[in-house]
Amino acid sequence: MAVLSSRSVDPMKYNTSTQMDEQNSHASAKPEDEQSVSNISVQIVNAEEKLAKRIFARKNHGKSKSKKKVKRTTIWNFQNKIVLFTLILFVIGVITWTLLWLFIVEAENKDALYFVGLFRVANIEFLPEYRQKESREFLSVAQNVQQVMNLVYTTSAFSKFYKQSIVSDVSNNNNGGLLVHFWIVFVVPQAKGQMFCEDCVAAILKDSIQTSIINRTSVGSLQGLAVDMDSIVLSAGLRSDYSSTTGTGTNCIYDLYADRLHQHFPLDITATSGRMICYFKLIALVGHLIRLSIVSIQIEADNCITDSLTIYDSLMPIKSKILYRICEPTNSLMSFVSTNNLMLITFTSMQIQKWKEIHGYFEVITQEKCGNTILTKERTGFEGRILSPYYPSYYPPKCICTWNFQTPQKSLGIALKFHNYTISEKSLKGCERGWWRINEHMYCGYYIDHQTVFHIANSVVNIELQCSSKLSEQPLLVEYGSYDISQPCPAGYFQCSSGLCIRQAQHCDGVNDCFDESDELFCVMYKVNCNVSFSLQRSSLACDGIHDCEDGRDEQNCTKSIPCNNHTFQCRDNVCIKKQNAKCDGTVDCLDGSDESNCSCGSGKISNIYHRIVGGSDAQEGEWPWQVSLHFVGVAYCGASVISREWLLSAAHCFQGNRLSDPRTWTAHLGMRAQGNAKFVTPVRRIIVHEYYNNRNYDYDIALLQLSVPWPDTMKHVIQPICIPSLSHKVHSGEKCWITGWGQRQEANDQGSIILQKAEVEIVDQTLCHSTYGLITARMLCAGVMSGKKDGCKGDSGGPLSCRSQSDGKWFLTGIVSWGYGCGRPNFPGVYTRVSKFASWIHRYVPLVL
Ligand code: 4AZ
């Protein structure tokens, strides 16, 4: 009403209507107009007064009173009609606009939430007609299930938000009955989106199923449908998947039936332009499984942001049914096995700039029973092998394998040699990548980069492997054989308390090779003897690449490391090449390119200007040109080191979790001293976390980051790479190195530093560090000062431990800030990733020649 009133006295409008009224003064008066005028706001009175005055003036000019009266009434009526008309228009406008606004706001604030799932219906037999989505049979069964789902959700706590359920597939399966794949859609105000968790939506469905305790079966009744409780899987789905698989989105969707055993059905995908999402539903003969083999895949390598190939253990893109995701191009054969007669492969490409190609095939295979009973030979030594299910394929996430071993004599036990794998006693936490039960002892399995041997001092050994990972796992090969319990390890080997045999040289080398620490216990005495009886222990200490003796004599005169003469250069693969000056001449002479590696890194140029060795805490501008600050969603979170134009090295633990592993959440700040003043900032394109990273003990704590934009040549004065030490690069305890970062300056103060901090630390003897922490693996090293005070802390993780080479003055990335007990505590040095162990892993991705 307020708006209406003010408009009615708009002077402009009023004047215009007055003029018009005067022009139309001959028009006759209408009583109903008068009536309507009287309804208009009181402020109109002003207009009436003005009008009256004018009429009065005219009257004085000698015009007849009666005529004037008629004219006045006419003018009044007409003028008000216009005002009224304007007002009505205005009111209608306001109402329409308000409604429209309300509608838009309402619509904007509501989200459609999609859930995708499956369950098995035991009391409906599969009919071939179900394969045709238009068939009467499919429509009838789909309608039946949809009605049941409607009833479940319209009578639930979520009824207000429930929109619909759609059955997208019904198929046969190896457990009998029908496997029903469905979508559930809710329309939810944004504020209430949180309450729609996957478990909550699944719980409503599960709670609606009536099971009988007497029957002791997982199949219950859901409005007449015999639904298998154990088969219910449900996860949040994507709108794009919903529209594609329910027939409104992409038409790149194929149902492929494999009805012959062991025949290779080709699966080749080529994408040349645009945005692409394709679905390949593979359905095998009932009672069988599907093996998908990927021969080669050429896709963009950026953590599945642009391109991805996802393999599901279902017919719909259900997150919890993902068997594997391929995000990297590869030419090596990989194969995956389903747990049922179905598989879905989705290929997504967000933008196609380059040619994308996937070559592979799938086949129908028979179900394998894994495990057996094995009687070993009397002769000791490895004699056979046990394999993960469907070896050499990746093994599916659900399996139980049991091997029962029996040796011919009580004096013989069972030895297991795990390839690229180890087992260690299970703690209270569960095992992430499957677990083992060996004669009632529980162990977790871990993938590592070498073999480990495990002994069980018993003639009867029961071994159970439970595959309990979320995804398919790399194939496993374990050699077995009998061994003499009284003489467990072959000559030259040391036996850990767990039964594991390690090379004698690994005993007391300061590295926890046994995983139960037993190889590093009681070693201090052994060390003291180093000087006294070096010749006696020579075989186990000398020339193993580890600095065992304090005076370094164990690693002196080691001929194996100097096979090349003064006129030749020794490549990293130990090949000698002719020219001495082959190093850094711009031509790759070594097959492995090592003559051209570390040529333009760790330059001492800047260090000559700044005297880094001098203590102090604030770093100088340009002093650590390889130091990078990694920002996660805009906040400084971890450190990293520049190792080439487009690659950084950091710690794997910085990228653990859904959001942290997404390169789009990170930016790299290079050439920076004070936070916010980086000379070069770029988004991160790709994160490669080491495949053996172990989030329990921080083993293999290393990750490579590829920059979206390589830093330019013009930044050379402030950005420079640090050298990567080779595997044989030695680091000596007591050696002085530097740690740098913007992390916390105190353990208790959770604020990072604005100015880059530096601290000089000492490499700590590995045995001493092991006695402090226990679990120090060969991929770790310790550095600090025993008084505490100088240490890395939260926020420094991933940053460099830089050591300057005595021989050529170059700076080497000896370590990566990884973990430790608190920060700067006396006797608790920082633990760093030993970078030299990863030289070849790094060069798998980063070219040797910069
Ligand atoms: C961290 O939380 C962290 N004192 C890094 C290094 C150390 C401790 C904690 C070593 O990122």
Side-chain angles (χ1 to χ4, degrees):
M1 217 36 212
V3 177
L4 194 86
S5 308
S6 65
R7 278 262 172 146
S8 61
V9 289
D10 182 329
M12 278 301 290
K13 277 219 167 99
Y14 179 70
N15 289 343
T16 318
S17 18
T18 311
Q19 284 155 15
M20 275 173 62
D21 288 351
E22 278 173 350
Q23 282 160 19
N24 297 311
S25 57
H26 61 274
S28 61
K30 284 187 181 158
E32 58 273 31
D33 286 350
E34 279 182 357
Q35 183 63 41
S36 62
V37 166
S38 68
N39 286 340
I40 300 173
S41 158
V42 180
Q43 289 166 46
I44 295 267
V45 172
N46 293 336
E48 202 175 341
E49 278 169 8
K50 278 189 186 176
L51 205 61
K53 277 178 196 163
R54 285 191 194 185
I55 293 164
F56 182 70
R58 286 189 186 183
K59 212 159 71 176
N60 287 345
H61 279 98
K63 295 201 175 167
S64 88
K65 197 181 172 181
S66 60
K67 201 176 174 187
K68 292 279 175 202
K69 197 176 177 186
V70 170
K71 193 171 179 182
R72 185 185 153 216
T73 316
T74 312
I75 289 166
W76 169 241
N77 284 341
F78 193 77
Q79 170 205 2
N80 281 293
K81 256 196 322 197
I82 296 289
V83 172
L84 184 68
F85 182 69
T86 314
L87 285 174
I88 289 170
L89 265 185
F90 176 72
V91 172
I92 291 171
V94 167
I95 292 171
T96 318
W97 192 86
T98 311
L99 286 176
L100 208 71
W101 185 82
L102 276 177
F103 176 77
I104 291 166
V105 168
E106 274 285 288
E108 260 180 11
N109 287 346
K110 277 190 175 166
D111 276 339
L113 299 183
Y114 302 90
F115 291 88
V116 57
L118 64 82
F119 56 63
R120 187 174 70 88
V121 179
N123 63 344
I124 306 179
E125 278 313 307
F126 178 76
L127 298 175
E129 287 80 5
Y130 289 153
R131 287 181 174 175
Q132 306 304 323
K133 302 278 162 62
E134 306 79 32
S135 70
R136 228 164 7 104
E137 290 80 1
F138 175 85
L139 292 173
S140 152
V141 77
Q143 221 165 45
N144 183 9
V145 174
Q146 281 162 198
Q147 270 167 8
V148 170
M149 304 275 279
N150 287 345
L151 198 70
V152 167
Y153 286 99
T154 50
T155 53
S156 75
F158 291 165
S159 61
K160 246 182 20 195
F161 312 110
Y162 175 75
K163 192 166 171 236
Q164 63 178 346
S165 295
I166 292 184
V167 169
S168 48
D169 262 289
V170 286
S171 66
N172 55 14
N173 71 99
N174 296 348
N175 301 315
L178 273 191
L179 202 61
V180 181
H181 289 75
F182 55 84
W183 286 92
I184 308 172
V185 187
F186 295 93
V187 178
V188 187
Q190 261 171 12
K192 297 202 169 159
Q194 303 306 66
M195 61 197 247
F196 278 79
C197 63
E198 291 167 347
D199 289 346
C200 315
V201 178
I204 291 175
L205 186 58
K206 286 181 185 170
D207 289 350
S208 311
I209 300 171
Q210 287 166 354
T211 46
S212 146
I213 316 164
I214 307 154
N215 285 351
R216 284 177 164 266
T217 152
S218 61
V219 177
S221 170
L222 181 67
Q223 307 294 325
L225 296 177
V227 175
D228 183 352
M229 281 278 248
D230 291 348
S231 71
I232 299 176
V233 181
L234 192 136
S235 38
L238 297 175
R239 184 199 171 93
S240 53
D241 283 335
Y242 169 78
S243 47
S244 299
T245 56
T246 53
T248 50
T250 179
N251 52 10
C252 189
I253 184 157
Y254 300 93
D255 286 355
L256 305 172
Y257 296 97
D259 44 14
R260 234 168 298 150
L261 257 170
H262 302 302
Q263 184 181 331
H264 286 190
F265 296 90
L267 187 84
D268 297 311
I269 309 166
T270 307
T272 49
S273 65
R275 192 171 180 270
M276 179 173 173
I277 174 155
C278 281
Y279 302 80
F280 301 88
K281 296 184 199 173
L282 316 183
I283 300 135
L285 287 170
V286 76
H288 295 80
L289 306 178
I290 295 174
R291 187 198 322 255
L292 171 75
S293 299
I294 300 293
V295 178
S296 71
I297 174 161
Q298 296 316 318
I299 53 170
E300 206 71 52
D302 58 2
N303 296 81
C304 280
I305 290 167
T306 310
D307 300 335
S308 61
L309 186 89
T310 314
I311 303 155
Y312 293 89
D313 199 23
S314 55
L315 286 181
M316 281 292 120
I318 305 171
K319 245 188 309 166
S320 52
K321 284 281 192 178
I322 292 179
L323 286 175
Y324 206 77
R325 271 196 109 187
I326 304 179
C327 306
E328 300 268 323
T330 175
N331 281 320
S332 50
L333 183 77
M334 286 191 280
S335 58
F336 308 90
V337 178
S338 62
T339 62
N340 213 327
N341 64 328
L342 335 145
M343 194 182 258
L344 169 73
I345 296 143
T346 64
F347 173 63
T348 310
S349 186
M350 284 302 161
Q351 67 194 55
I352 296 169
Q353 283 160 347
K354 279 186 271 169
W355 189 267
K356 315 273 166 82
E357 259 181 345
I358 294 162
H359 294 292
Y361 56 88
F362 62 98
E363 62 199 305
V364 182
I365 59 167
T366 44
Q367 278 178 279
E368 271 176 26
K369 249 194 86 199
C370 62
N372 49 7
T373 300
I374 298 162
L375 184 67
T376 57
K377 294 190 181 119
E378 218 161 303
R379 190 165 40 88
T380 58
F382 294 106
E383 61 183 71
R385 48 193 220 169
I386 57 174
L387 304 167
S388 53
Y390 308 102
Y391 187 90
S393 298
Y394 278 59
Y395 58 93
K398 277 187 226 152
C399 80
I400 302 177
C401 306
T402 317
W403 294 277
N404 296 314
F405 287 95
Q406 167 90 63
T407 63
Q409 285 170 28
K410 281 246 175 311
S411 60
L412 297 179
I414 291 292
L416 299 172
K417 189 198 277 175
F418 292 95
H419 286 237
N420 278 31
Y421 194 79
T422 192
I423 55 173
S424 81
E425 204 107 16
K426 183 177 171 290
S427 64
L428 280 179
K429 289 184 195 165
C431 307
E432 266 195 8
R433 312 189 90 169
W435 52 267
W436 295 76
R437 192 176 49 75
I438 301 178
N439 281 1
E440 306 315 320
H441 290 276
M442 306 287 281
Y443 302 87
C444 291
Y446 302 102
Y447 288 86
I448 52 167
D449 58 2
H450 56 270
Q451 301 175 351
T452 49
V453 181
F454 193 82
H455 285 115
I456 307 122
N458 207 314
S459 60
V460 179
V461 177
N462 298 311
I463 300 178
E464 188 178 296
L465 162 67
Q466 290 252 10
C467 326
S468 58
S469 326
K470 288 197 191 106
L471 305 175
S472 288
E473 285 286 6
Q474 281 175 51
L476 261 182
L477 187 155
V478 187
E479 288 181 71
Y480 67 81
S482 43
Y483 78 99
D484 185 348
I485 294 175
S486 64
Q487 229 186 348
C489 296
Y493 278 80
F494 168 85
Q495 193 192 13
C496 311
S497 315
S498 62
L500 209 67
C501 285
I502 56 165
R503 277 184 296 116
Q504 192 65 51
Q506 291 173 297
H507 180 212
C508 290
D509 63 354
V511 178
N512 176 18
D513 303 280
C514 282
F515 292 92
D516 61 1
E517 308 166 27
S518 55
D519 58 324
E520 298 304 320
L521 290 176
F522 315 113
C523 292
V524 183
M525 259 172 55
Y526 196 49
K527 194 104 188 166
V528 172
N529 286 342
C530 199
N531 285 339
V532 186
S533 54
F534 177 61
S535 52
L536 282 175
Q537 296 166 10
R538 205 182 151 82
S539 61
S540 63
L541 300 180
C543 300
D544 61 356
I546 296 153
H547 198 76
D548 303 282
C549 298
E550 235 76 86
D551 59 3
R553 69 165 66 184
D554 59 320
E555 296 301 315
Q556 280 169 5
N557 308 325
C558 298
T559 46
K560 68 173 180 184
S561 60
I562 44 163
C564 304
N565 63 33
N566 281 348
H567 305 292
T568 55
F569 173 79
Q570 188 188 345
C571 301
R572 202 166 284 160
D573 55 10
N574 283 337
V575 172
C576 298
I577 55 165
K578 265 192 185 156
K579 299 167 288 169
Q580 177 66 59
N581 62 357
K583 180 93 185 131
C584 301
D585 65 354
T587 321
V588 179
D589 300 287
C590 294
L591 277 177
D592 62 4
S594 53
D595 56 324
E596 295 303 314
S597 69
N598 286 345
C599 294
S600 47
C601 60
S603 158
K605 204 177 90 195
I606 296 167
S607 65
N608 291 339
I609 306 168
Y610 302 102
H611 304 282
R612 284 192 199 132
I613 311 298
V614 188
S617 52
D618 280 6
Q620 303 294 314
E621 189 79 42
E623 195 179 6
W624 308 100
W626 44 85
Q627 175 78 51
V628 178
S629 178
L630 291 178
H631 287 208
F632 171 67
V633 288
V635 178
Y637 196 83
C638 267
S641 303
V642 174
I643 57 162
S644 83
R645 271 296 156 86
E646 57 170 347
W647 289 95
L648 310 179
L649 205 57
S650 188
H653 80 259
C654 291
F655 311 101
Q656 287 304 294
N658 263 352
R659 300 245 295 141
L660 290 165
S661 61
D662 184 342
R664 290 168 296 186
T665 57
W666 293 93
T667 45
H669 298 238
L670 282 70
M672 184 169 82
R673 178 177 177 260
Q675 282 288 349
N677 278 335
K679 301 286 185 307
F680 183 73
V681 182
T682 167
V684 172
R685 171 185 150 77
R686 177 183 178 198
I687 301 170
I688 303 167
V689 168
H690 199 284
E691 61 267 41
Y692 298 150
Y693 169 64
N694 182 332
N695 62 8
R696 275 156 211 254
N697 63 0
Y698 284 58
D699 204 5
Y700 299 89
D701 192 9
I702 191 165
L704 275 166
L705 275 79
Q706 190 177 21
L707 303 178
S708 289
V709 184
W711 52 275
D713 215 37
T714 49
M715 296 281 161
K716 256 161 90 176
H717 59 295
V718 276
I719 306 171
Q720 274 182 27
I722 188 168
C723 304
I724 299 296
S726 64
L727 184 62
S728 58
H729 191 105
K730 301 234 165 55
V731 56
H732 308 289
S733 57
E735 193 179 326
K736 300 266 201 294
C737 298
W738 288 81
I739 49 168
T740 42
W742 291 270
Q744 281 177 209
R745 294 173 78 170
Q746 275 169 4
E747 189 184 322
N749 175 0
D750 66 357
Q751 287 219 319
S753 166
I754 299 289
I755 305 291
L756 179 63
Q757 299 295 298
K758 62 178 180 183
E760 195 182 28
V761 288
E762 256 179 36
I763 302 296
V764 173
D765 175 78
Q766 193 89 355
T767 312
L768 181 61
C769 189
H770 179 260
S771 61
T772 307
Y773 282 118
L775 216 116
I776 297 292
T777 72
R779 274 75 51 193
M780 300 172 190
L781 66 85
C782 302
V785 284
M786 278 306 160
S787 62
K789 299 219 171 65
K790 288 183 177 182
D791 195 9
C793 200
K794 207 167 156 209
D796 292 322
S797 281
L801 169 72
S802 314
C803 304
R804 196 173 192 180
S805 156
Q806 299 274 315
S807 57
D808 58 6
K810 287 192 174 209
W811 287 89
F812 279 84
L813 184 64
T814 299
I816 297 169
V817 181
S818 180
W819 62 281
Y821 175 58
C823 306
R825 296 190 183 204
N827 303 316
F828 286 98
V831 185
Y832 298 80
T833 311
R834 194 185 278 268
V835 178
S836 61
K837 292 274 179 193
F838 297 97
S840 60
W841 178 80
I842 293 166
H843 295 307
R844 217 191 284 169
Y845 302 95
V846 185
L848 269 165
V849 184
L850 296 178

